[in-house]
Amino acid sequence: MRVIYTDIRPAAASLENGATFYASIEDMLPHCQVLTLHVPGGGVPLLTKNEFGRLPQGAVFVNAARGGLVDEDALFEALTSGHLFSAGLDVYRSEPNVDKRFAELDNVFLTPHMASATIETRGQMGFTALDNVAAVLDGRPALNPV
């Protein structure tokens, strides 16, 4: 698979591994047959009607980032109009409540926010929690304050 991406700046050449960098999401979207979203945040939608419209006809969308990054009305419209072929959603705008319209579509795969559910990630989460406890008990600020 040819991989393309966008970010604040390109990755080091040694890390790109043949991937192609685009300076903006607007420039990248028309080249995405499959768009997977993996970014922090979630307050303001990153993908709206405009962005879904920039994807090629028949593209696939996967959101394993944050539900708040997606205008769900625009996504629903793109899926029901046939502009998007399908979507895989692991996160939702109003978690834990899933917009029931998506559950009624044959071209949508829904999972219960489990993108981080790997042995390695969960192990690291536990070690990070322990590091936070140790820091606080040592009089230092928590590494990841909530």
Side-chain angles (χ1 to χ4, degrees):
M1 173 186 348
R2 187 175 141 245
V3 175
I4 63 177
Y5 73 99
T6 188
D7 204 338
I8 296 168
R9 60 186 156 279
S14 62
L15 298 175
E16 275 194 326
N17 216 14
T20 303
F21 172 75
Y22 283 85
S24 73
I25 192 169
E26 292 81 12
D27 292 339
M28 182 188 71
L29 289 174
H31 306 280
C32 295
Q33 293 299 319
V34 177
L35 174 65
T36 64
L37 194 57
H38 305 275
V39 298
V44 177
L46 177 64
L47 295 173
T48 66
K49 184 175 183 173
N50 177 58
E51 286 76 26
F52 286 120
R54 295 181 70 80
L55 287 166
Q57 178 80 23
V60 173
F61 173 65
V62 177
N63 188 5
R66 296 286 182 252
L69 292 168
V70 176
D71 175 337
E72 289 185 343
D73 290 332
L75 174 58
F76 185 80
E77 181 181 325
L79 287 162
T80 56
S81 72
H83 185 74
L84 288 182
F85 177 74
S86 62
L89 306 175
D90 182 59
V91 292
Y92 311 95
R93 188 153 194 82
S94 298
E95 283 185 20
N97 302 313
V98 177
D99 184 330
K100 302 221 184 293
R101 297 177 298 172
F102 293 112
E104 296 171 1
L105 298 178
D106 291 336
N107 59 343
V108 177
F109 187 80
L110 305 171
T111 61
H113 195 162
M114 60 185 204
S116 70
T118 65
I119 292 169
E120 297 82 5
T121 301
R122 295 296 166 92
Q124 186 58 52
M125 290 166 76
F127 286 119
T128 299
L130 291 173
D131 290 343
N132 277 307
V133 170
V136 170
L137 291 176
D138 196 35
R140 295 178 284 125
L143 303 170
N144 304 95
V146 178

mmCIF file of all heavy atoms in Angstrom, residues 68-111:
data_model
loop_
_atom_site.group_PDB
_atom_site.id
_atom_site.type_symbol
_atom_site.label_atom_id
_atom_site.label_comp_id
_atom_site.label_asym_id
_atom_site.label_seq_id
_atom_site.Cartn_x
_atom_site.Cartn_y
_atom_site.Cartn_z
ATOM 1 N N GLY A 68 -14.764 13.681 18.516
ATOM 2 C CA GLY A 68 -14.989 15.105 18.319
ATOM 3 C C GLY A 68 -14.283 15.685 17.111
ATOM 4 O O GLY A 68 -14.536 16.821 16.733
ATOM 5 N N LEU A 69 -13.420 14.908 16.478
ATOM 6 C CA LEU A 69 -12.708 15.380 15.289
ATOM 7 C C LEU A 69 -13.546 15.260 14.024
ATOM 8 O O LEU A 69 -13.144 15.722 12.968
ATOM 9 C CB LEU A 69 -11.409 14.589 15.107
ATOM 10 C CG LEU A 69 -10.352 14.831 16.171
ATOM 11 C CD1 LEU A 69 -9.237 13.805 16.078
ATOM 12 C CD2 LEU A 69 -9.791 16.244 16.031
ATOM 13 N N VAL A 70 -14.729 14.645 14.148
ATOM 14 C CA VAL A 70 -15.553 14.370 12.968
ATOM 15 C C VAL A 70 -16.937 14.979 13.124
ATOM 16 O O VAL A 70 -17.609 14.786 14.136
ATOM 17 C CB VAL A 70 -15.677 12.845 12.757
ATOM 18 C CG1 VAL A 70 -16.605 12.530 11.603
ATOM 19 C CG2 VAL A 70 -14.307 12.233 12.525
ATOM 20 N N ASP A 71 -17.371 15.699 12.099
ATOM 21 C CA ASP A 71 -18.751 16.170 12.012
ATOM 22 C C ASP A 71 -19.577 14.951 11.593
ATOM 23 O O ASP A 71 -19.531 14.534 10.427
ATOM 24 C CB ASP A 71 -18.850 17.295 10.984
ATOM 25 C CG ASP A 71 -20.267 17.773 10.744
ATOM 26 O OD1 ASP A 71 -21.235 17.018 11.007
ATOM 27 O OD2 ASP A 71 -20.413 18.900 10.259
ATOM 28 N N GLU A 72 -20.278 14.346 12.538
ATOM 29 C CA GLU A 72 -20.989 13.100 12.253
ATOM 30 C C GLU A 72 -22.123 13.268 11.257
ATOM 31 O O GLU A 72 -22.431 12.347 10.505
ATOM 32 C CB GLU A 72 -21.473 12.451 13.545
ATOM 33 C CG GLU A 72 -20.325 11.877 14.362
ATOM 34 C CD GLU A 72 -20.763 11.105 15.593
ATOM 35 O OE1 GLU A 72 -21.929 11.251 16.033
ATOM 36 O OE2 GLU A 72 -19.925 10.351 16.121
ATOM 37 N N ASP A 73 -22.747 14.435 11.203
ATOM 38 C CA ASP A 73 -23.781 14.666 10.186
ATOM 39 C C ASP A 73 -23.159 14.626 8.794
ATOM 40 O O ASP A 73 -23.727 14.040 7.869
ATOM 41 C CB ASP A 73 -24.481 16.002 10.409
ATOM 42 C CG ASP A 73 -25.373 16.007 11.645
ATOM 43 O OD1 ASP A 73 -25.869 14.918 12.019
ATOM 44 O OD2 ASP A 73 -25.565 17.087 12.230
ATOM 45 N N ALA A 74 -21.996 15.233 8.644
ATOM 46 C CA ALA A 74 -21.303 15.234 7.345
ATOM 47 C C ALA A 74 -20.853 13.824 6.979
ATOM 48 O O ALA A 74 -20.955 13.414 5.815
ATOM 49 C CB ALA A 74 -20.115 16.184 7.392
ATOM 50 N N LEU A 75 -20.368 13.065 7.957
ATOM 51 C CA LEU A 75 -19.958 11.682 7.700
ATOM 52 C C LEU A 75 -21.167 10.845 7.278
ATOM 53 O O LEU A 75 -21.094 10.089 6.304
ATOM 54 C CB LEU A 75 -19.302 11.082 8.942
ATOM 55 C CG LEU A 75 -18.960 9.598 8.873
ATOM 56 C CD1 LEU A 75 -18.016 9.294 7.712
ATOM 57 C CD2 LEU A 75 -18.370 9.133 10.205
ATOM 58 N N PHE A 76 -22.275 10.983 7.981
ATOM 59 C CA PHE A 76 -23.481 10.232 7.649
ATOM 60 C C PHE A 76 -23.925 10.559 6.216
ATOM 61 O O PHE A 76 -24.259 9.658 5.442
ATOM 62 C CB PHE A 76 -24.598 10.554 8.648
ATOM 63 C CG PHE A 76 -25.832 9.731 8.440
ATOM 64 C CD1 PHE A 76 -25.898 8.426 8.911
ATOM 65 C CD2 PHE A 76 -26.923 10.252 7.770
ATOM 66 C CE1 PHE A 76 -27.040 7.649 8.712
ATOM 67 C CE2 PHE A 76 -28.066 9.495 7.562
ATOM 68 C CZ PHE A 76 -28.121 8.182 8.039
ATOM 69 N N GLU A 77 -23.895 11.831 5.871
ATOM 70 C CA GLU A 77 -24.284 12.240 4.513
ATOM 71 C C GLU A 77 -23.350 11.638 3.464
ATOM 72 O O GLU A 77 -23.800 11.147 2.422
ATOM 73 C CB GLU A 77 -24.272 13.768 4.408
ATOM 74 C CG GLU A 77 -24.685 14.282 3.043
ATOM 75 C CD GLU A 77 -24.630 15.806 2.950
ATOM 76 O OE1 GLU A 77 -24.920 16.472 3.955
ATOM 77 O OE2 GLU A 77 -24.286 16.308 1.860
ATOM 78 N N ALA A 78 -22.051 11.653 3.728
ATOM 79 C CA ALA A 78 -21.083 11.092 2.776
ATOM 80 C C ALA A 78 -21.280 9.586 2.605
ATOM 81 O O ALA A 78 -21.106 9.046 1.508
ATOM 82 C CB ALA A 78 -19.661 11.401 3.237
ATOM 83 N N LEU A 79 -21.658 8.907 3.681
ATOM 84 C CA LEU A 79 -21.886 7.463 3.614
ATOM 85 C C LEU A 79 -23.188 7.118 2.921
ATOM 86 O O LEU A 79 -23.254 6.178 2.125
ATOM 87 C CB LEU A 79 -21.876 6.868 5.029
ATOM 88 C CG LEU A 79 -20.512 6.774 5.698
ATOM 89 C CD1 LEU A 79 -20.665 6.594 7.199
ATOM 90 C CD2 LEU A 79 -19.694 5.646 5.078
ATOM 91 N N THR A 80 -24.246 7.853 3.204
ATOM 92 C CA THR A 80 -25.549 7.522 2.627
ATOM 93 C C THR A 80 -25.687 8.001 1.187
ATOM 94 O O THR A 80 -26.479 7.448 0.431
ATOM 95 C CB THR A 80 -26.705 8.089 3.481
ATOM 96 O OG1 THR A 80 -26.540 9.492 3.630
ATOM 97 C CG2 THR A 80 -26.737 7.406 4.845
ATOM 98 N N SER A 81 -24.907 8.985 0.795
ATOM 99 C CA SER A 81 -24.945 9.457 -0.594
ATOM 100 C C SER A 81 -24.124 8.561 -1.519
ATOM 101 O O SER A 81 -24.230 8.671 -2.736
ATOM 102 C CB SER A 81 -24.402 10.893 -0.675
ATOM 103 O OG SER A 81 -22.982 10.887 -0.479
ATOM 104 N N GLY A 82 -23.286 7.712 -0.921
ATOM 105 C CA GLY A 82 -22.417 6.858 -1.725
ATOM 106 C C GLY A 82 -21.066 7.470 -2.008
ATOM 107 O O GLY A 82 -20.229 6.854 -2.659
ATOM 108 N N HIS A 83 -20.848 8.712 -1.546
ATOM 109 C CA HIS A 83 -19.537 9.321 -1.785
ATOM 110 C C HIS A 83 -18.443 8.508 -1.087
ATOM 111 O O HIS A 83 -17.408 8.221 -1.681
ATOM 112 C CB HIS A 83 -19.500 10.782 -1.324
ATOM 113 C CG HIS A 83 -18.208 11.440 -1.664
ATOM 114 N ND1 HIS A 83 -17.886 11.822 -2.946
ATOM 115 C CD2 HIS A 83 -17.130 11.743 -0.900
ATOM 116 C CE1 HIS A 83 -16.670 12.343 -2.954
ATOM 117 N NE2 HIS A 83 -16.190 12.296 -1.719
ATOM 118 N N LEU A 84 -18.686 8.131 0.170
ATOM 119 C CA LEU A 84 -17.772 7.225 0.853
ATOM 120 C C LEU A 84 -18.279 5.807 0.683
ATOM 121 O O LEU A 84 -19.484 5.552 0.785
ATOM 122 C CB LEU A 84 -17.686 7.539 2.353
ATOM 123 C CG LEU A 84 -16.950 8.795 2.773
ATOM 124 C CD1 LEU A 84 -16.940 8.909 4.297
ATOM 125 C CD2 LEU A 84 -15.526 8.815 2.241
ATOM 126 N N PHE A 85 -17.372 4.877 0.441
ATOM 127 C CA PHE A 85 -17.748 3.472 0.315
ATOM 128 C C PHE A 85 -18.131 2.901 1.669
ATOM 129 O O PHE A 85 -19.117 2.189 1.799
ATOM 130 C CB PHE A 85 -16.594 2.669 -0.292
ATOM 131 C CG PHE A 85 -16.872 1.203 -0.381
ATOM 132 C CD1 PHE A 85 -17.756 0.713 -1.331
ATOM 133 C CD2 PHE A 85 -16.255 0.316 0.484
ATOM 134 C CE1 PHE A 85 -18.023 -0.647 -1.406
ATOM 135 C CE2 PHE A 85 -16.515 -1.044 0.412
ATOM 136 C CZ PHE A 85 -17.397 -1.530 -0.534
ATOM 137 N N SER A 86 -17.317 3.222 2.695
ATOM 138 C CA SER A 86 -17.589 2.674 4.012
ATOM 139 C C SER A 86 -16.801 3.427 5.076
ATOM 140 O O SER A 86 -15.962 4.273 4.769
ATOM 141 C CB SER A 86 -17.226 1.185 4.066
ATOM 142 O OG SER A 86 -15.839 1.021 3.827
ATOM 143 N N ALA A 87 -17.092 3.071 6.343
ATOM 144 C CA ALA A 87 -16.384 3.676 7.471
ATOM 145 C C ALA A 87 -16.243 2.649 8.580
ATOM 146 O O ALA A 87 -17.110 1.793 8.769
ATOM 147 C CB ALA A 87 -17.123 4.906 7.990
ATOM 148 N N GLY A 88 -15.144 2.761 9.293
ATOM 149 C CA GLY A 88 -14.914 1.990 10.505
ATOM 150 C C GLY A 88 -14.743 2.979 11.643
ATOM 151 O O GLY A 88 -13.878 3.856 11.571
ATOM 152 N N LEU A 89 -15.585 2.894 12.651
ATOM 153 C CA LEU A 89 -15.575 3.883 13.727
ATOM 154 C C LEU A 89 -15.313 3.215 15.063
ATOM 155 O O LEU A 89 -16.042 2.310 15.471
ATOM 156 C CB LEU A 89 -16.911 4.630 13.768
ATOM 157 C CG LEU A 89 -17.350 5.286 12.454
ATOM 158 C CD1 LEU A 89 -18.734 5.893 12.603
ATOM 159 C CD2 LEU A 89 -16.338 6.319 12.012
ATOM 160 N N ASP A 90 -14.274 3.683 15.748
ATOM 161 C CA ASP A 90 -13.908 3.184 17.068
ATOM 162 C C ASP A 90 -14.208 4.233 18.134
ATOM 163 O O ASP A 90 -14.183 3.927 19.319
ATOM 164 C CB ASP A 90 -12.412 2.834 17.083
ATOM 165 C CG ASP A 90 -11.964 2.261 18.403
ATOM 166 O OD1 ASP A 90 -12.511 1.222 18.812
ATOM 167 O OD2 ASP A 90 -11.075 2.858 19.042
ATOM 168 N N VAL A 91 -14.464 5.459 17.714
ATOM 169 C CA VAL A 91 -14.737 6.576 18.617
ATOM 170 C C VAL A 91 -15.934 7.359 18.083
ATOM 171 O O VAL A 91 -16.230 7.334 16.895
ATOM 172 C CB VAL A 91 -13.500 7.504 18.754
ATOM 173 C CG1 VAL A 91 -12.382 6.799 19.494
ATOM 174 C CG2 VAL A 91 -13.022 7.988 17.395
ATOM 175 N N TYR A 92 -16.596 8.066 19.009
ATOM 176 C CA TYR A 92 -17.849 8.736 18.653
ATOM 177 C C TYR A 92 -17.912 10.099 19.318
ATOM 178 O O TYR A 92 -17.372 10.300 20.402
ATOM 179 C CB TYR A 92 -19.040 7.864 19.087
ATOM 180 C CG TYR A 92 -18.855 6.443 18.607
ATOM 181 C CD1 TYR A 92 -18.293 5.487 19.443
ATOM 182 C CD2 TYR A 92 -19.163 6.094 17.301
ATOM 183 C CE1 TYR A 92 -18.059 4.190 18.986
ATOM 184 C CE2 TYR A 92 -18.940 4.809 16.840
ATOM 185 C CZ TYR A 92 -18.381 3.871 17.677
ATOM 186 O OH TYR A 92 -18.147 2.601 17.229
ATOM 187 N N ARG A 93 -18.604 11.014 18.697
ATOM 188 C CA ARG A 93 -18.685 12.387 19.182
ATOM 189 C C ARG A 93 -19.282 12.461 20.589
ATOM 190 O O ARG A 93 -18.830 13.240 21.407
ATOM 191 C CB ARG A 93 -19.491 13.245 18.207
ATOM 192 C CG ARG A 93 -19.465 14.715 18.551
ATOM 193 C CD ARG A 93 -19.666 15.570 17.317
ATOM 194 N NE ARG A 93 -19.327 16.939 17.576
ATOM 195 C CZ ARG A 93 -18.096 17.445 17.566
ATOM 196 N NH1 ARG A 93 -17.070 16.670 17.330
ATOM 197 N NH2 ARG A 93 -17.874 18.712 17.808
ATOM 198 N N SER A 94 -20.286 11.667 20.873
ATOM 199 C CA SER A 94 -20.975 11.732 22.175
ATOM 200 C C SER A 94 -20.767 10.452 22.968
ATOM 201 O O SER A 94 -21.716 9.893 23.522
ATOM 202 C CB SER A 94 -22.468 11.976 21.954
ATOM 203 O OG SER A 94 -22.686 13.197 21.308
ATOM 204 N N GLU A 95 -19.517 9.973 23.019
ATOM 205 C CA GLU A 95 -19.255 8.742 23.774
ATOM 206 C C GLU A 95 -19.740 8.876 25.198
ATOM 207 O O GLU A 95 -19.627 9.950 25.775
ATOM 208 C CB GLU A 95 -17.749 8.447 23.771
ATOM 209 C CG GLU A 95 -17.281 7.871 22.469
ATOM 210 C CD GLU A 95 -15.812 7.463 22.504
ATOM 211 O OE1 GLU A 95 -15.240 7.266 23.603
ATOM 212 O OE2 GLU A 95 -15.247 7.334 21.430
ATOM 213 N N PRO A 96 -20.292 7.826 25.732
ATOM 214 C CA PRO A 96 -20.360 6.467 25.176
ATOM 215 C C PRO A 96 -21.566 6.241 24.271
ATOM 216 O O PRO A 96 -21.802 5.131 23.810
ATOM 217 C CB PRO A 96 -20.469 5.593 26.429
ATOM 218 C CG PRO A 96 -21.258 6.441 27.380
ATOM 219 C CD PRO A 96 -20.807 7.860 27.106
ATOM 220 N N ASN A 97 -22.332 7.272 24.006
ATOM 221 C CA ASN A 97 -23.517 7.135 23.153
ATOM 222 C C ASN A 97 -23.115 7.186 21.680
ATOM 223 O O ASN A 97 -22.488 8.136 21.237
ATOM 224 C CB ASN A 97 -24.520 8.250 23.453
ATOM 225 C CG ASN A 97 -24.935 8.241 24.906
ATOM 226 O OD1 ASN A 97 -25.261 7.200 25.454
ATOM 227 N ND2 ASN A 97 -24.871 9.397 25.546
ATOM 228 N N VAL A 98 -23.507 6.165 20.944
ATOM 229 C CA VAL A 98 -23.234 6.083 19.514
ATOM 230 C C VAL A 98 -24.441 6.628 18.764
ATOM 231 O O VAL A 98 -25.577 6.313 19.103
ATOM 232 C CB VAL A 98 -22.978 4.621 19.097
ATOM 233 C CG1 VAL A 98 -22.772 4.504 17.599
ATOM 234 C CG2 VAL A 98 -21.791 4.057 19.859
ATOM 235 N N ASP A 99 -24.192 7.445 17.744
ATOM 236 C CA ASP A 99 -25.272 7.933 16.889
ATOM 237 C C ASP A 99 -25.893 6.713 16.212
ATOM 238 O O ASP A 99 -25.258 6.050 15.393
ATOM 239 C CB ASP A 99 -24.701 8.919 15.859
ATOM 240 C CG ASP A 99 -25.766 9.557 15.000
ATOM 241 O OD1 ASP A 99 -26.819 8.930 14.754
ATOM 242 O OD2 ASP A 99 -25.535 10.687 14.549
ATOM 243 N N LYS A 100 -27.129 6.391 16.555
ATOM 244 C CA LYS A 100 -27.791 5.165 16.100
ATOM 245 C C LYS A 100 -27.942 5.085 14.581
ATOM 246 O O LYS A 100 -28.102 3.995 14.031
ATOM 247 C CB LYS A 100 -29.144 5.024 16.785
ATOM 248 C CG LYS A 100 -29.008 4.999 18.307
ATOM 249 C CD LYS A 100 -29.906 4.000 18.933
ATOM 250 C CE LYS A 100 -29.856 4.033 20.432
ATOM 251 N NZ LYS A 100 -28.656 3.635 21.038
ATOM 252 N N ARG A 101 -27.862 6.226 13.917
ATOM 253 C CA ARG A 101 -27.961 6.195 12.447
ATOM 254 C C ARG A 101 -26.858 5.329 11.844
ATOM 255 O O ARG A 101 -27.080 4.632 10.851
ATOM 256 C CB ARG A 101 -27.857 7.601 11.852
ATOM 257 C CG ARG A 101 -28.963 8.540 12.266
ATOM 258 C CD ARG A 101 -28.750 9.921 11.685
ATOM 259 N NE ARG A 101 -27.496 10.498 12.177
ATOM 260 C CZ ARG A 101 -26.970 11.637 11.729
ATOM 261 N NH1 ARG A 101 -27.578 12.317 10.776
ATOM 262 N NH2 ARG A 101 -25.847 12.102 12.224
ATOM 263 N N PHE A 102 -25.661 5.362 12.451
ATOM 264 C CA PHE A 102 -24.545 4.595 11.902
ATOM 265 C C PHE A 102 -24.749 3.093 12.062
ATOM 266 O O PHE A 102 -24.328 2.312 11.211
ATOM 267 C CB PHE A 102 -23.220 5.032 12.544
ATOM 268 C CG PHE A 102 -22.833 6.430 12.178
ATOM 269 C CD1 PHE A 102 -22.828 7.434 13.128
ATOM 270 C CD2 PHE A 102 -22.498 6.766 10.876
ATOM 271 C CE1 PHE A 102 -22.488 8.736 12.792
ATOM 272 C CE2 PHE A 102 -22.151 8.061 10.528
ATOM 273 C CZ PHE A 102 -22.155 9.047 11.482
ATOM 274 N N ALA A 103 -25.406 2.680 13.137
ATOM 275 C CA ALA A 103 -25.657 1.258 13.372
ATOM 276 C C ALA A 103 -26.621 0.678 12.349
ATOM 277 O O ALA A 103 -26.652 -0.535 12.141
ATOM 278 C CB ALA A 103 -26.194 1.048 14.790
ATOM 279 N N GLU A 104 -27.395 1.531 11.694
ATOM 280 C CA GLU A 104 -28.369 1.071 10.709
ATOM 281 C C GLU A 104 -27.783 0.939 9.309
ATOM 282 O O GLU A 104 -28.440 0.429 8.405
ATOM 283 C CB GLU A 104 -29.561 2.030 10.688
ATOM 284 C CG GLU A 104 -30.315 2.047 12.011
ATOM 285 C CD GLU A 104 -31.362 3.155 12.084
ATOM 286 O OE1 GLU A 104 -31.525 3.911 11.102
ATOM 287 O OE2 GLU A 104 -32.002 3.263 13.146
ATOM 288 N N LEU A 105 -26.527 1.384 9.124
ATOM 289 C CA LEU A 105 -25.911 1.351 7.799
ATOM 290 C C LEU A 105 -25.099 0.075 7.603
ATOM 291 O O LEU A 105 -24.317 -0.313 8.473
ATOM 292 C CB LEU A 105 -25.000 2.569 7.603
ATOM 293 C CG LEU A 105 -25.682 3.937 7.665
ATOM 294 C CD1 LEU A 105 -24.645 5.042 7.508
ATOM 295 C CD2 LEU A 105 -26.758 4.049 6.597
ATOM 296 N N ASP A 106 -25.266 -0.565 6.444
ATOM 297 C CA ASP A 106 -24.517 -1.783 6.122
ATOM 298 C C ASP A 106 -23.055 -1.500 5.804
ATOM 299 O O ASP A 106 -22.233 -2.421 5.815
ATOM 300 C CB ASP A 106 -25.150 -2.497 4.919
ATOM 301 C CG ASP A 106 -26.507 -3.089 5.248
ATOM 302 O OD1 ASP A 106 -26.768 -3.367 6.439
ATOM 303 O OD2 ASP A 106 -27.304 -3.275 4.313
ATOM 304 N N ASN A 107 -22.717 -0.238 5.512
ATOM 305 C CA ASN A 107 -21.347 0.092 5.123
ATOM 306 C C ASN A 107 -20.539 0.716 6.261
ATOM 307 O O ASN A 107 -19.517 1.363 6.027
ATOM 308 C CB ASN A 107 -21.336 1.000 3.888
ATOM 309 C CG ASN A 107 -22.068 2.309 4.095
ATOM 310 O OD1 ASN A 107 -22.850 2.470 5.028
ATOM 311 N ND2 ASN A 107 -21.822 3.261 3.208
ATOM 312 N N VAL A 108 -20.978 0.500 7.499
ATOM 313 C CA VAL A 108 -20.272 1.034 8.669
ATOM 314 C C VAL A 108 -19.988 -0.095 9.645
ATOM 315 O O VAL A 108 -20.865 -0.906 9.950
ATOM 316 C CB VAL A 108 -21.089 2.140 9.366
ATOM 317 C CG1 VAL A 108 -20.387 2.634 10.620
ATOM 318 C CG2 VAL A 108 -21.323 3.305 8.412
ATOM 319 N N PHE A 109 -18.744 -0.130 10.113
ATOM 320 C CA PHE A 109 -18.326 -1.098 11.124
ATOM 321 C C PHE A 109 -18.054 -0.320 12.401
ATOM 322 O O PHE A 109 -17.244 0.606 12.412
ATOM 323 C CB PHE A 109 -17.056 -1.830 10.654
ATOM 324 C CG PHE A 109 -16.653 -2.956 11.559
ATOM 325 C CD1 PHE A 109 -17.284 -4.184 11.474
ATOM 326 C CD2 PHE A 109 -15.641 -2.778 12.486
ATOM 327 C CE1 PHE A 109 -16.920 -5.232 12.304
ATOM 328 C CE2 PHE A 109 -15.262 -3.820 13.321
ATOM 329 C CZ PHE A 109 -15.900 -5.040 13.234
ATOM 330 N N LEU A 110 -18.746 -0.674 13.490
ATOM 331 C CA LEU A 110 -18.630 0.030 14.762
ATOM 332 C C LEU A 110 -17.932 -0.849 15.796
ATOM 333 O O LEU A 110 -18.234 -2.032 15.906
ATOM 334 C CB LEU A 110 -20.020 0.400 15.292
ATOM 335 C CG LEU A 110 -20.916 1.198 14.359
ATOM 336 C CD1 LEU A 110 -22.324 1.302 14.934
ATOM 337 C CD2 LEU A 110 -20.337 2.569 14.111
ATOM 338 N N THR A 111 -17.001 -0.247 16.530
ATOM 339 C CA THR A 111 -16.358 -0.946 17.646
ATOM 340 C C THR A 111 -16.443 -0.065 18.884
ATOM 341 O O THR A 111 -16.580 1.156 18.777
ATOM 342 C CB THR A 111 -14.880 -1.280 17.342
ATOM 343 O OG1 THR A 111 -14.155 -0.069 17.126
ATOM 344 C CG2 THR A 111 -14.748 -2.180 16.127
#
